[in-house]
Every structure is written in C-alpha cells, then in structure tokens.
Amino acid sequence: MPILNKDMTLCISLSARPSNNGTRFHNFLYDALELNWIYKAFAPTNLEQAIAGVRGLGIRGCAVSMPYKESVIALVDRMDASAAAIDSVNTIVNDGGVLTAYNTDYTAIAQLIQSNGLDPASSVLLRGSGGMAKATAAAFRDAGFRDVTILARNEETGRALADLYGFHWRAELGDAEAEVLVNVTPIGMAGGPDGDSLAFPTSTVEAAGAVFDVVAVPAETPLVKAGHAMDKKVISGAEVMTIQALEQFVLYTGIRPSDEQVRAAEEFMRAPV
C-alpha cells in the first residue's frame, strides 16, 4: 500500500457492522495495479452527514451495506438502472460532486444463480425483505423463478416485496419447505445477535437441494456449514462479496483486473488476519 499523500484517491464503505473484507479486496488490487488509492470502512453515526462528506470531500466511491441500501436513495443525485429497478443501492460513484447510485449485488446474485445451474422450476424460500432481499428477489425473478415465497415477519415489507415480483409471502415458516433456501437476513452474521443461529431449521435444510446464504461474514455461516455437512449445493455470501466488490472496483477505477488478480485478491480477502 502506498504511503498516504495528498493526491491519494479515497473510497469508503458504510455499514452498521463493517468488516475487513472490502478493505482487503480493494486495497490488494490498488496495490497490485500500482494505483494511488486507498479504501476504508466506516460505521456512520449519521448517514446524511456521511453522504454529504462523500460529496464535499471528493471521495470517489462509497459502498453501502445493511441497513442503508434504501435510506441512502434520497441522498444521491442519480439512480443507475441497476439500482432504480429495485430501489436499492450498494454502490455510489462521485463524479465531481454528482453522486450516482448503482447496485452490484443484483449482478453478483444473477451470475451465481446461472453459474451454479439453479433450476428456474425449483421452489424457493427467501428469508428477508430489506434492500438486499430486493436485489436477490429481482435476480431470481429475472432468472425465470416463479415459485418463490418471501419469508418475513414484517408484513408490510414482506407483502410489498412479494407483490412487487409476483411471489408469495408468509410471516412464519411453519411446515413450509422448498428446493432452494435463501437467507438474506443478518442471521448467521459474525458479531450480530444471531451470529450462531441457523437461518432455517435443520429439517428444512435437509429437505432442500440447495442453500444460498447472502451473509458474507463469516464465509462459513451456520447455514453454509449445514449445507456442506448435508451435501447440498451451497452458494455463499463470500462469493457474492467477491463479484459485487469486483464490479464496484471497475465502477470506481474504470479498470477491470485480470482473473488472476481477482483470485489473488479474493484469497487475500479470505485469509486469516
């Protein structure tokens, strides 16, 4: 990493519970490509002031994580189609004080649905109804999935998300089962109150064919571990993190690293600190 200097370009991330993943991934690539850039993670105490800082200080890029993906919309100037289509933001690019919002979560999830060969005829249980759940639900809808149930205790947001994409909604799991289970809640997230919890009951995981946990930290969430132990097809949030971070890097810098550089950055990101 270059020595801090006045000409250095700054990118940041905003999250309620920041991790080192994004900082390690981006900073590794800045170093590999000999860019005079640096990336730093923050937990904002005031979102409006934080975004004003992005604009006023000339911060080039800003990643946005839970729970700010929707509330940040009112604070930007432009919405790219990737964010406008789902009313959810995970990336902001600052061009001379003009802030444009994007969503690379959608891109990552869509790629993983396709690369893992998930069958659109499969039934899906998607737990969650926030900004990331919107990106996830949209990706499944656009991949041709129709038998999707949104599992969310919040009836207002759960029904709204289900209605938006023509899916079903239920507040409690009950005896429901599905061929594909998707967790888009903080359950299983390191440092959270439910960090050791399984997003779906063991019996529900046993009945499924595939599990997809969008939680990125840790890479091996309780749901991912259970899926591996039961020999299910498993898609992890760590995979989502790599793809969406790469697309952010391209938006910020205008440079697309080689596959070899991306693999090296991913290995560095996941390596024990």
Side-chain angles (χ1 to χ4, degrees), residues 36-74:
N36 189 24
W37 291 49
I38 192 168
Y39 190 100
K40 180 76 170 67
F42 292 95
T45 56
N46 184 299
L47 182 63
E48 185 173 350
Q49 291 176 357
I51 298 302
V54 171
R55 190 193 309 274
L57 295 173
I59 295 171
R60 169 59 179 170
C62 175
V64 182
S65 297
M66 293 188 293
Y68 308 118
K69 292 174 184 284
E70 295 170 294
S71 53
V72 77
I73 291 173

Side-chain angles (χ1 to χ4, degrees), residues 87-128:
D87 287 327
S88 179
V89 172
N90 83 321
T91 305
I92 299 171
V93 178
N94 182 2
D95 291 301
V98 177
L99 306 185
T100 302
Y102 300 81
N103 195 305
T104 64
D105 289 330
Y106 171 91
T107 303
I109 292 163
Q111 288 184 23
L112 288 167
I113 290 171
Q114 181 178 27
S115 65
N116 283 276
L118 297 186
D119 184 357
S122 300
S123 57
V124 179
L125 266 173
L126 192 161
R127 183 165 193 169

Side-chain angles (χ1 to χ4, degrees), residues 198-215:
L198 193 62
F200 295 92
T202 300
S203 60
T204 308
V205 179
E206 288 176 341
V211 296
F212 187 169
D213 198 340
V214 179
V215 171

Side-chain angles (χ1 to χ4, degrees), residues 133-186:
K134 280 186 179 179
T136 305
F140 271 90
R141 189 275 311 273
D142 292 347
F145 289 78
R146 296 294 177 264
D147 185 6
V148 178
T149 298
I150 304 298
L151 178 63
R153 291 181 180 178
N154 187 317
E155 181 173 358
E156 181 179 359
T157 60
R159 279 191 183 276
L161 180 57
D163 291 345
L164 182 62
Y165 296 114
F167 296 156
H168 311 289
W169 166 80
R170 62 189 301 155
E172 302 291 341
L173 178 63
D175 59 357
E177 295 179 347
E179 294 161 294
V180 180
L181 304 179
V182 188
N183 176 46
V184 201
T185 73

